[in-house]
Amino acid sequence: MNMLWVAPVMPDYDSARATFSWRRERSRLAGLPGGGVNIGYEAVDRHLRDGHGDRPALRCIARDGSLRTVSYARLAEDSSRVAHVLETLGVGRGERVFTLLGRRYELYATVLGTLRAGRVVCPLFTAFGPEPVALRMELGNARAVVTTRELYERKVAPVRSRLPHLRHVLLIDPGDDPPSDTLSFPALTAAASDTYTVGQTDPADLALLHFTSGTTGTPKGAMHVHEAVLAHHVTAAYALDLHEGDVFWCTADPGWVTGMSYGIIAPLTHGVTTVVDEGDFAPGRWYDILADQHVTVWYTAPTALRMLMRAAPRDGSLPAERHDLSSLRFVASVGEPLNPEAVHWGREALGLPVHDTWWQTETGAIMIANFAADPVRPGSMGRPMPGVEAAVLACGEDGRVAVVGGHVRVVGEPDVQGELALRAGWPSMFRGYLHEPQRYESCFADGWYLTGDLVSRDADGWFWFVGRADDVIKSAGHLIGPFEVESALMEHPAVAEAGVIGRPDPLAGAIVKAFVLLRPEYPPSAELRRDLIAFARRRLGPAVAPREVGFVDTLPHTRSGKVMRRLLRARELGLPEGDVSTLEAPEPAGTAGAPGPSGK
Ligand code: ATP
Ligand code: MG
């Protein structure tokens, strides 16, 4: 070992914030030779320019376990081919190319080729049925889609007549006798040139269209521009501790914004090696990947962590004892509040605390995080990124921000709940909701972007998640955040996961009801139910603790791994379920391959 090697030291939080400016950070980007910024150029071309084309960009693990390593030079060639194919087909600059692909190499080549060519990428979850696929392609005016033959036949062909603007369907595995009106991705790309010069791209040109997770209602199409790459790059350094030489694994589904910002773009801009796992979630496989690939930085989601916790072997042995996790240096989580229990579990089981990060499809990149240089505060989202101004805004009776005469009130006192707001203007901020200008407008007040999440901030400036404005329970004069109740229940040894809602009650307004998924070794019983309620009352007090506990075999999750409390509530009250296009397909509890966390 080279004794002179010194671990990279992250600047401490206060000095990083004090000296930070987005304008200065721009020098971290390569920029296009003729001026302008292009995400694809930052992810691919710059490494060739710097003579690093032979570095490993991707390590793809196929379902059969076979490995394929792809260099930055190869990625440049294959994405160049895609860029030429799009041009030859007549897909115009700014037009949308949809992907309906799992995590596989062709996805990377397509996304990067599309971005380098100045066309707009819109990724879809492969688990969508034909209706959600049709709805999003219709809304997004899909010009082309890249997918597999099987997914095409099951999900696109049945709705194709409703998509007159969809001119090109490219199948990555057309096989013999391909369906009519489809094109062969391998044939077209093989015939195309493997060099492509990225054209002039304005930092404000549209690059990505992302539909939100649909946790609170119908998914919205958030539009992002090329200069977002600055935020992807910078946040990966500060919040994910990404450095040259790292092996990075982001487990998010490529149909979700995390799978794009941190599954594809950010690590490539840093020139690190990204693990691309085509397989499904299974605890043993995941630990094998961490160990065998020598993953150094791991970005995952609370559901995934809860499922790993739930799958702990009965003999009490820890993953770090059974697998060599010595390469792992940094673990972070996103998508849902991270229960303190999961942070503690990380310390014990992985030998590292889990760092929570908070952001949204709309913010495009991490906004609030437990930083590498700071000790983790279990249960806290962390502190705002350098360059990000976050505040708690005072809310009215209805739980939404009170806007008086165009102004809002920033809560100065610590530990007071209000809506989380961000000062508009960071580079990856969304530039609109597709076809919904008014909805976009209504997200802003007095120069702040309103996130729809309720939080509080402690005296040291750390933010604590309370709940989504829609999920907060008003019970007998108390405002109760489901997260707090769920986290308390998770501390009980029998509880693997919990979802908490308010059930209308004539006296209290609402009472707290918890739906609990038990660990496999604890059978449901009336006694356990009483014990859970008593346990929660001791921790939370009677006003906040659940009055009712129901045992469930599964909790409804979105494809991006979030508990869909609105669905629990609708089912409990016998109401219509609303838009469930992003609902994860339920699987029986206890199956090895259980529901896809964070997207599989
Ligand atoms: P929709 O907007 O369609 O209802 P969604 O808000 O779940 O769906 P995303 O943009 O994928 O869509 O998720 C962002 C939301 O996820 C945040 O607003 C927040 O509620 C939740 N979230 C993400 N990360 C965290 C975190 N670390 N702690 C708490 N909540 C989080
Ligand atoms: Mg949202």
Side-chain angles (χ1 to χ4, degrees), residues 115-306:
L115 291 169
R116 292 175 74 213
R119 277 68 176 165
V120 177
V121 180
C122 180
L124 296 179
F125 282 112
T126 54
F128 281 152
E131 268 314 308
V133 167
L135 178 74
R136 287 164 180 76
M137 296 230 273
E138 252 173 335
L139 281 172
N141 261 321
R143 265 286 174 258
V145 61
V146 181
T147 185
T148 64
R149 178 169 180 163
E150 192 222 336
L151 290 170
Y152 173 72
E153 286 175 342
R154 283 179 33 218
K155 308 190 176 202
V156 185
V159 293
R160 186 142 179 206
S161 59
R162 282 167 47 193
L163 305 169
H165 46 267
L166 177 64
R167 293 225 196 94
H168 313 290
V169 173
L170 287 86
L171 302 184
I172 63 170
D173 54 349
D176 299 333
D177 192 18
S180 62
D181 226 3
T182 61
L183 298 166
S184 162
F185 180 89
L188 287 171
T189 49
S193 161
D194 64 3
T195 52
Y196 181 85
T197 306
V198 174
Q200 176 59 36
T201 314
D202 192 84
D205 282 352
L206 203 58
L208 302 159
L209 170 65
H210 275 295
F211 287 94
T212 60
S213 292
T215 313
T216 52
T218 307
K220 300 150 272 188
M223 299 190 280
H224 290 279
V225 298
H226 278 275
E227 70 173 343
V229 68
L230 180 58
H232 299 143
H233 185 83
V234 168
T235 53
Y238 280 105
L240 300 181
D241 201 30
L242 215 56
H243 297 282
E244 204 175 302
D246 271 325
V247 177
F248 177 64
W249 185 26
C250 169
T251 62
D253 191 294
W256 183 37
V257 68
T258 306
M260 179 66 71
S261 297
Y262 297 100
I264 301 182
I265 300 170
L268 293 177
T269 68
H270 280 275
V272 305
T273 303
T274 295
V275 172
V276 180
D277 171 34
E278 289 182 17
D280 295 325
F281 173 81
R285 267 197 64 250
W286 275 31
Y287 289 126
D288 284 345
I289 292 175
L290 288 172
D292 298 348
Q293 302 309 321
H294 306 287
V295 171
T296 55
V297 179
W298 187 33
Y299 198 24
T300 190
T303 21
L305 294 167
R306 287 193 292 256

Side-chain angles (χ1 to χ4, degrees), residues 561-582:
K562 300 153 193 294
V563 175
M564 267 172 141
R565 295 180 192 83
R566 75 175 156 92
L567 204 58
L568 285 173
R569 206 159 40 227
R571 287 175 183 171
E572 173 73 10
L573 304 179
L575 298 171
E577 295 197 345
D579 189 317
V580 288
S581 59
T582 58

Side-chain angles (χ1 to χ4, degrees), residues 29-49:
L29 296 183
L32 288 172
V37 176
N38 179 290
I39 298 178
Y41 186 91
E42 298 299 327
V44 178
D45 302 61
R46 75 176 294 174
H47 304 299
L48 275 66
R49 185 202 68 174

Side-chain angles (χ1 to χ4, degrees), residues 212-213 215-216 220 360-362 433 449 451 453 468:
T212 60
S213 292
T215 313
T216 52
K220 300 150 272 188
Q360 305 179 308
T361 308
E362 290 87 341
Y433 284 130
Y449 162 66
T451 66
D453 285 349
R468 292 155 181 271

